[in-house]
Amino acid sequence: MTSVDIKHFPMRIGGREVDTERRRNVVDPSTGETVATVAHGDAGHVDAAVSAARAAFDSGVWRHRTPQERAAVMRRIVAAANDVADELIELELSANGATVRQATGFHIGYALAHFSYFADLAETYAWQRPAPITTFPALGQAVVHREPIGVVGAIAPWNFPLLLTLWKVGPALAAGNSVVVKPDEHTPLSILAFARIAEENGLPPGVLNVVPGDGPDAGARLASHPDVGKIAFTGSTAVGREIMRLAAGTVKQVTLELGGKGPSIVLDDADLDLAVDGVLYGCFVYSGQVCESGTRALVPAHLYDDFVGRLVTRASTIALGPTRDWDTDMGPVIDAHQQARIVDYIHGAVAEGAAVALGGQAIDQPGYWVTPTILTGVHNSMRIAQEEVFGPVLVVIAYSDDDEAVSIANDSDYGLAASIWSSDNSRSLDLAARIDSGSVWINDAHQINCQVPFGGFKQSGVGRELGPDALDAYTEVKTVHLDLSGGRDSKPYDILLSHADE
């Protein structure tokens, strides 16, 4: 893009475009060039957005619509977004460096399909559930109601900007809430476009607001704001801890989807051709910048050299190139800071005794590129095996038997996702039951299915997103009890008032 192609994106508050003097450049990671500018919000803009969201909620313009009416609007939004899917794909890949294949299938394709799923949930969710009739201490009937929380704050990451934002916005809107989104400052373009599309297709102004800005300012204010009833966050575990601390000040509900260090366990009866491709897919999709990536390959000691050789041969065919080229397999990492951080992790691993079997360096060309990297001789106690690198780095660890494989897999602060590669389903299922992980995929990887819950054990998060119960996290539970006893004589009031005048 040349300078004349650079478009400016205001933030969106209360159904209006709101601009600021302070602007941030949006950079294409594949070239290092500025492709857009965006209004840079601060805590004051968050306050304005929360105020607009609260006003919309209190007016009832969205929450008082029936679930069927909300679902119908959400489906209209999906249809309109599909009509301009190419625009959304371009906004996504130009800001975060995804390849066009990934952006089409995962980043945008999944996002719109999952938003449609949340629309379906609005129609099938149990908004009211009768409890059993009680006879003691008096005859009565209770009904459990699910009601919207109010204003939901959504803080989204840069790796899947629209998809992971809609994992929060979708169930929040389906439940009747208003939302304020704080997108990552690198990648606000697709959600800003989506918010505009949503309002053009029936979402009332103020129900969805988008404030790009820095985490320590705009994000921190959203997490601590007294009029925000829930925070949903996807990002690093370190930032998740801070979000939880800030939310505790007003005892907000939180959903946190945090880091991972996924094990890919290759059993000795695995189809090795399938396992090799599956392990590489599990680690190197989107340059390893996926929280549930399988970045630790656990391999039987007697198969280690053979499997590493197969990995290196196959990974050597991964094509890096222009992100808009359909023949490109892998793109860049997000920015120069992350590029340097990844290379530092690789150098640190080598200093601890690991060996580079493939790659291991940044590429000296415009943009922020790191070669697909495979490290051998890694022990699980090494920093490279314990910390989330968030880059195209696969470590291969040897194990002796199934018990040791489980021990290594679980020896982590994280527990987001794992994969098992085996030709024996029974053995795989037994092993899966022993893995401390929110998802375990057998003979597959990256199986994100909107119909099942997603989230992690341990420091990989709090709560779950997706699945048939996704709206639970965006609703409050209210019990309404109706007395059916018919009079004072049937009440247990004499426990306290037995000597009262008749």
Side-chain angles (χ1 to χ4, degrees), residues 54 148-155 167-168 171-172 177-180 222-233 243 247 250-256 462-465 470-476:
R54 187 74 225 183
I149 293 169
V151 178
V152 170
I155 302 178
W167 280 13
K168 300 153 184 58
N177 296 286
S178 296
V179 187
V180 177
L222 188 60
S224 62
H225 199 293
D227 289 336
V228 174
K230 181 201 170 61
I231 287 288
F233 168 78
I243 296 290
T250 50
V251 198
K252 289 178 175 56
Q253 297 187 39
V254 295
T255 300
L256 305 175
V462 175
R464 295 292 183 270
E465 296 182 298
L471 272 61
D472 286 359
Y474 294 87
T475 55
E476 292 280 15

Side-chain angles (χ1 to χ4, degrees), residues 429-450:
L429 291 169
D430 288 344
L431 205 66
R434 301 169 60 191
I435 303 298
D436 299 333
S437 183
S439 297
V440 180
W441 302 309
I442 297 173
N443 292 325
D444 214 336
H446 296 303
Q447 269 300 311
I448 304 299
N449 179 354
C450 62

Side-chain angles (χ1 to χ4, degrees), residues 49-265:
V50 172
S51 178
R54 187 74 225 183
F57 182 77
D58 290 343
S59 75
V61 65
W62 181 247
R63 67 165 169 151
H64 287 164
R65 295 191 186 185
T66 68
Q68 292 74 22
E69 290 170 337
R70 292 198 294 268
V73 172
M74 292 174 70
R75 292 191 184 103
R76 287 203 300 274
I77 294 168
V78 170
N82 272 314
D83 287 343
V84 293
D86 287 346
E87 172 192 335
L88 295 174
I89 290 166
E90 175 61 27
L91 292 176
E92 196 90 340
L93 65 85
S94 68
N96 75 353
T99 66
V100 66
R101 283 170 18 209
Q102 293 165 16
T104 301
F106 289 162
H107 295 247
I108 301 303
Y110 260 19
L112 299 183
H114 289 189
F115 194 76
S116 182
Y117 174 75
F118 295 128
D120 294 342
L121 278 187
E123 294 186 320
T124 60
Y125 189 68
W127 298 103
Q128 296 183 13
R129 175 175 53 83
I133 292 177
T134 59
T135 58
F136 181 85
L139 187 67
Q141 169 77 66
V143 176
V144 178
H145 296 251
R146 286 279 187 173
E147 299 183 356
I149 293 169
V151 178
V152 170
I155 302 178
W158 50 259
N159 58 342
F160 290 85
L162 189 60
L163 174 65
L164 297 183
T165 301
L166 296 190
W167 280 13
K168 300 153 184 58
V169 171
L173 295 183
N177 296 286
S178 296
V179 187
V180 177
V181 176
K182 204 297 285 183
D184 187 272
E185 53 270 26
H186 293 85
T187 54
L189 305 185
S190 55
I191 184 58
L192 283 166
F194 185 88
R196 171 183 52 79
I197 293 167
E199 289 181 354
E200 290 171 351
N201 289 275
L203 191 70
V207 174
L208 177 58
N209 308 272
V210 184
V211 180
D214 292 332
D217 183 9
R221 178 55 179 163
L222 188 60
S224 62
H225 199 293
D227 289 336
V228 174
K230 181 201 170 61
I231 287 288
F233 168 78
T234 298
S236 72
T237 295
V239 176
R241 293 190 194 103
E242 179 65 9
I243 296 290
M244 181 177 276
R245 185 188 69 80
L246 292 167
T250 50
V251 198
K252 289 178 175 56
Q253 297 187 39
V254 295
T255 300
L256 305 175
E257 197 270 282
L258 307 177
K261 196 67 184 176
S264 297
I265 304 172

Side-chain angles (χ1 to χ4, degrees), residues 354-395:
V356 177
L358 180 71
Q361 66 273 334
I363 301 175
D364 185 16
Q365 67 181 48
Y368 315 112
W369 299 82
V370 177
T371 55
T373 298
I374 297 174
L375 300 176
T376 59
V378 174
H379 300 286
N380 203 56
S381 59
M382 292 180 178
R383 179 172 176 244
I384 195 73
Q386 288 292 320
E387 298 182 11
E388 187 175 44
V389 177
F390 229 60
V393 180
L394 175 67
V395 303

